[in-house]
Amino acid sequence: MSAIHCHQLCKTFRQGDEIITGLDHVDISIEEGEFVCLSGPSGSGKTTLLNAIGGLDTPDSGEIRMGDIRIDQLERGPLADMRLHHIGFVFQAYNLIPVLTAQENVEFVMQVQGIPAAERSRKARDILREVGLEGMEDRRPAQLSGGQQQRVAVARAIVSHPDLVLADEPTANLDSVASTHLMGLFSELNENHKITFVIATHDKRVMSYARRLIKMQDGKIISDEAQ
Amino acid sequence: MADVSLVLAWRNLWRHGRRTWLTIGAMIFSNTLLVFSISLQFGSYDMMIDNTLQAYSGHIQLQHARYLDEPKMRYALPDIDASAQTLRKELGLSSISARAVGFALASSHERSYGLQILGVDAEHEPLVSTLPGLVKQGRYLDPAAVEEIVIGSVLARNLKVGPGDELTFLGSGFDDSFAAGVVTVVGVFESGVADLDRSMAQVNLGYFQEIFAMQGHGHSIVIRAAHIDDVDQLMADISTLKPASDKLAIRHWDELQPGLRQAIQADMTSAWFMYLVLIVLVAFSVLNTQLMSVLERTREFGTMMALGLQPSRLARLVMLETALMTSVGLALGITLGCLITWYLSHVGFSYPGMEEMAVKFNLPDRMYPAISPVSLTLGPGIVAIGSLLASIYPATRLYLLLPIEAMRAA
């Protein structure tokens, strides 16, 4: 199901009287297990494309397929189910739930997925150990560094083995050491779990981890190269 | 680990502890007040019913089946004194007394007034009615004496008589004969009920039956139960002993004093209007708290939706938070209300002037709230329902959120 095909995607935004082009007839195919970076300056359309693929935003025209499913035509409920079971998100600002501990943040999505309590507890501990947060399970986000919070967010995104992880500027708030750790973790998860990663970034260090680099500008893909 | 949604809901409440405590405080206050007020209301209704019924009508009366609608001399029960005696024995209850009722013109040396004259069993009448205890001048009837009368204070004033004075009365007897007698006023009662004080007089039943040619008949057997709650059982027991017929009716106090139930219902209606104002205020407090809470967490809700949570699940989370907050307010409010009410139900309480009123009208000098499962749960239950209803609006706002826009919220 993980192969993603976008065909002639267009998206515009209105900002006051001005019409801004977010996506301009974008065609892209991402195969299962790929590690893709979307790069480009601010306003180039990276995040818009990521949001469209993740079903968070609907394109004005064009189509998005994930396997056989037309994401752009799904109703709100099935779209939420699709995100819940098949897509993991990592946000620039971590977006953890502040009143839950690291363990609870990871477990929360699994509870919504209907995974039994004992199993989700075990899985949460395992994934937190895997992302290097053993012993920090009971800490709340405010008690963790930025890098540690992003690891919790990654753990939350991948704990249920989604087909696809979409990460929007995941290292923007991290120092270089934490960024290196995080990207190492992404590479490892991509190789070990065959999870497809699509990362929007303008950080050159992040791009160096990608095996495919797509450059965007003004809502268009200007280059698409394997590395 | 506990259910994550439950943990999340509970901790969300305490993000703004002061605000949550203010809302819970409003719930505690209203629940405590409602438990106490409703218990006091029920207690005062019991007292009101008891006092009203003790004054004259009793809890139950045996009458001729047509007497209630047409209180005529001829609708009487035979051998009334013996029947009352039999009932006392078979029910094992002494507070049963026979009465006969007639109307007469009473004359003193100076004036004449119409009055309702009651023939009463002076030995048992004090057990069914508080009237004998309200004699303010002279004394009550001597069961062994004849040609004695006690009259209401207003009537005494109108006739210008007092203890020791003579009254002549003229009326119509059971057999339509002429009934006349000369009696000595031995006591003047003051019930506080204008109708009774203005127009009622009592003589011994035997004397009444003789003067009014009753041939052993009387108009009612008045029964006072040990407690208002015993009335229905007592009615059933009496029905077994003396089945109702076209000649005999067993009347519940509801039939004897229909205005009493209506007065209680009117009082309840006005009280519940005030309670509803209180409940609406609490509901608005909950609405404000939950609306603020939802608006503050728009970004967080956006993230949850991005992760795959549907708005219905988020709405349930908001409702769960309200339910938890309400539960705390409910538990603490009921506990506090119960403790205060329980204490006052034992020691009672009075307000300024109540003791003087009590002495004057032979009433209890303190009020006692009546705790019951209904008084403990009715008000707080409605507060809880109102609070949950109030959180529907903040919860439904989540259906309007779009994840991408919500995550951009400040």
Side-chain angles (χ1 to χ4, degrees):
Chain A
M1 186 188 233
S2 65
I4 297 157
H5 303 283
C6 301
H7 179 62
Q8 291 292 297
L9 279 190
C10 291
K11 177 78 183 176
T12 54
F13 303 100
R14 179 177 287 276
Q15 202 168 58
D17 293 335
E18 201 179 348
I19 304 288
I20 295 169
T21 303
L23 296 173
D24 187 1
H25 298 89
V26 170
D27 288 308
I28 184 175
S29 288
I30 298 168
E31 299 306 323
E32 193 174 339
E34 276 200 280
F35 194 107
V36 180
C37 264
L38 302 173
S39 75
S42 293
S44 60
K46 313 185 289 292
T47 300
T48 308
L49 180 58
L50 219 54
N51 288 339
I53 292 171
L56 297 179
D57 210 354
T58 46
D60 297 336
S61 62
E63 61 180 67
I64 310 165
R65 286 183 184 277
M66 190 168 177
D68 297 330
I69 299 169
R70 277 283 296 269
I71 289 179
D72 57 292
Q73 288 184 339
L74 285 178
E75 294 291 329
R76 215 173 162 185
L79 198 55
D81 278 342
M82 164 76 95
R83 288 197 296 269
L84 182 66
H85 294 286
H86 299 290
I87 303 173
F89 286 92
V90 179
F91 305 101
Q92 180 180 338
Y94 327 132
N95 292 21
L96 298 175
I97 300 170
V99 293
L100 296 182
T101 64
Q103 167 105 8
E104 289 162 350
N105 261 289
V106 176
E107 276 196 43
F108 184 56
V109 174
M110 283 193 284
Q111 186 189 332
V112 181
Q113 289 171 332
I115 296 171
E119 187 184 343
R120 64 174 189 252
S121 178
R122 180 182 53 75
K123 279 186 166 181
R125 286 192 178 278
D126 288 349
I127 202 75
L128 284 170
R129 191 186 315 116
E130 201 171 335
V131 299
L133 291 175
E134 192 174 14
M136 298 184 186
E137 296 89 346
D138 296 329
R139 291 194 192 177
R140 292 198 189 181
Q143 297 168 307
L144 297 168
S145 68
Q148 289 166 338
Q149 287 186 56
Q150 196 59 296
R151 282 160 182 262
V152 176
V154 171
R156 179 178 67 182
I158 63 169
V159 68
S160 300
H161 298 289
D163 302 309
L164 170 69
V165 170
L166 301 173
D168 188 10
E169 305 280 6
T171 60
N173 293 327
L174 303 182
D175 59 28
S176 60
V177 177
S179 298
T180 307
H181 273 131
L182 184 70
M183 291 315 297
L185 180 65
F186 278 2
S187 293
E188 202 180 301
L189 291 167
N190 173 248
E191 283 168 18
N192 295 344
H193 297 283
K194 301 296 174 209
I195 297 171
T196 309
F197 277 84
V198 181
I199 302 167
T201 185
H202 49 242
D203 185 338
K204 288 205 163 44
R205 288 169 302 180
V206 174
M207 292 175 213
S208 67
Y209 285 86
R211 283 185 281 282
R212 181 179 169 193
L213 182 63
I214 299 171
K215 288 185 179 168
M216 295 185 73
Q217 192 171 335
D218 299 329
K220 291 179 181 168
I221 292 175
I222 55 170
S223 76
D224 184 349
E225 295 168 354
Q227 296 199 123
Chain B
M1 190 177 66
D3 182 281
V4 185
S5 295
L6 194 63
V7 170
L8 179 60
W10 179 252
R11 289 186 193 153
N12 277 336
L13 284 183
W14 306 109
R15 286 181 174 197
H16 295 278
R18 191 185 301 175
R19 188 171 67 196
T20 302
W21 268 121
L22 277 172
T23 308
I24 290 177
M27 285 183 188
I28 293 171
F29 174 75
S30 62
N31 286 339
T32 303
L33 193 65
L34 285 171
V35 166
F36 174 72
S37 303
I38 293 171
S39 299
L40 181 63
Q41 221 179 334
F42 286 173
S44 66
Y45 292 155
D46 285 352
M47 199 172 91
M48 188 173 157
I49 291 168
D50 260 356
N51 291 339
T52 307
L53 301 182
Q54 280 172 32
Y56 178 63
S57 62
H59 292 123
I60 301 167
Q61 284 191 19
L62 271 67
Q63 299 175 342
H64 187 282
R66 299 181 67 176
Y67 187 73
L68 187 68
D69 297 326
E70 296 175 76
K72 292 180 178 171
M73 184 65 104
R74 66 174 178 275
Y75 296 133
L77 303 174
D79 299 323
I80 192 112
D81 212 13
S83 296
Q85 180 61 30
T86 308
L87 271 179
R88 278 193 287 271
K89 199 178 288 178
E90 289 180 338
L91 293 171
L93 189 69
S94 57
S95 52
I96 297 174
S97 186
R99 285 180 191 160
V101 183
F103 294 91
L105 181 71
S107 303
S108 63
H109 288 300
E110 296 186 40
R111 290 180 174 183
S112 295
Y113 274 91
L115 57 78
Q116 183 187 44
I117 186 164
L118 257 70
V120 298
D121 172 354
E123 186 186 343
H124 293 98
E125 186 66 17
L127 302 176
V128 299
S129 166
T130 53
L131 220 58
L134 294 169
V135 173
K136 302 298 176 189
Q137 295 174 52
R139 60 170 173 80
Y140 191 61
L141 300 170
D142 178 352
V146 292
E147 298 176 352
E148 286 185 355
I149 192 166
V150 290
I151 61 175
S153 57
V154 179
L155 185 62
R157 195 165 60 239
N158 290 341
L159 289 168
K160 295 191 173 177
V161 293
D165 293 333
E166 275 193 348
L167 275 182
T168 306
F169 63 86
L170 298 170
S172 178
F174 182 68
D175 55 0
D176 292 330
S177 61
F178 184 67
V182 179
V183 286
T184 305
V185 176
V186 294
V188 175
F189 63 79
E190 190 177 337
S191 68
V193 180
D195 280 351
L196 297 184
D197 292 345
R198 188 169 46 239
S199 61
M200 186 185 276
Q202 293 188 355
V203 296
N204 272 310
L205 180 62
Y207 177 67
F208 182 97
Q209 286 172 325
E210 184 191 326
I211 296 294
F212 283 87
M214 296 296 289
Q215 302 155 28
H217 285 73
H219 295 103
S220 59
I221 296 175
V222 182
I223 299 160
R224 182 178 154 192
H227 192 272
I228 188 95
D229 295 339
D230 302 338
V231 172
D232 289 340
Q233 183 56 49
L234 201 53
M235 288 273 291
D237 293 345
I238 295 167
S239 299
T240 312
L241 293 171
K242 287 188 175 295
S245 66
D246 60 340
K247 294 278 171 56
L248 177 72
I250 304 162
R251 304 286 186 193
H252 191 272
W253 65 264
D254 251 352
E255 296 174 272
L256 299 167
Q257 297 269 2
L260 188 56
R261 184 68 77 189
Q262 286 164 8
I264 288 171
Q265 279 167 350
D267 184 74
M268 280 185 92
T269 305
S270 63
W272 271 100
F273 179 76
M274 286 176 62
Y275 297 159
L276 282 176
V277 170
L278 189 67
I279 289 164
V280 166
L281 287 176
V282 173
F284 270 104
S285 173
V286 171
L287 173 66
N288 178 56
T289 300
Q290 290 302 77
L291 196 55
M292 290 283 286
S293 173
V294 165
L295 291 174
E296 284 165 0
R297 289 185 284 155
T298 301
R299 186 183 164 90
E300 200 172 301
F301 285 128
T303 303
M304 290 185 188
M305 291 171 92
L307 294 176
L309 271 75
Q310 302 211 20
S312 59
R313 185 135 198 145
L314 299 177
R316 286 207 299 274
L317 181 68
V318 172
M319 297 295 283
L320 180 61
E321 288 169 17
T322 310
L324 288 172
M325 188 161 63
T326 305
S327 302
V328 175
L330 201 71
L332 294 178
I334 289 178
T335 305
L336 193 61
C338 187
L339 286 174
I340 293 171
T341 309
W342 178 82
Y343 174 74
L344 289 173
S345 71
H346 280 77
V347 301
F349 79 99
S350 63
Y351 50 81
M354 189 174 173
E355 284 181 24
E356 290 78 6
M357 290 268 290
V359 171
K360 192 173 177 186
F361 299 119
N362 198 25
L363 299 172
D365 60 353
R366 297 181 85 73
M367 294 177 81
Y368 294 89
I371 295 185
S372 68
V374 173
S375 71
L376 286 182
T377 55
L378 184 62
I382 296 174
V383 168
I385 291 167
S387 302
L388 287 172
L389 289 176
S391 67
I392 288 176
Y393 173 63
T396 50
R397 281 184 63 93
L398 295 166
Y399 286 87
L400 304 175
L401 285 185
L402 295 172
I404 199 72
E405 288 172 6
M407 281 196 295
R408 284 188 195 127

